Amino acid sequence: MKDKFLKFLQNEEGLTTVEYAVAGALVAAAVVTAFGLLGGQVGVVIDGLYKAIGG
């Protein structure tokens, strides 16, 4: 039983899954932040264009 437990602790195969999950979460957070920051700017540009064409 002790040998199986030690093998389980030394097994790093599952670690890559956790690393991918953390990396995916960081990418998702960056995308949400970027869209949040750029969303306001895009609205301002569209509003300016709308007013420029006589809307």
Side-chain angles (χ1 to χ4, degrees):
M1 183 73 171
K2 181 180 176 183
D3 291 334
K4 288 183 181 182
F5 183 70
L6 289 176
K7 277 186 179 181
F8 174 74
L9 289 178
Q10 294 173 349
N11 184 4
E12 295 183 8
E13 191 171 314
L15 188 60
T16 56
T17 304
V18 173
E19 291 170 349
Y20 282 124
V22 169
L26 289 174
V27 169
V31 167
V32 168
T33 301
F35 278 123
L37 293 174
L38 293 175
Q41 293 296 333
V42 171
V44 169
V45 170
I46 290 174
D47 190 45
L49 291 172
Y50 176 74
K51 289 178 182 177
I53 61 173

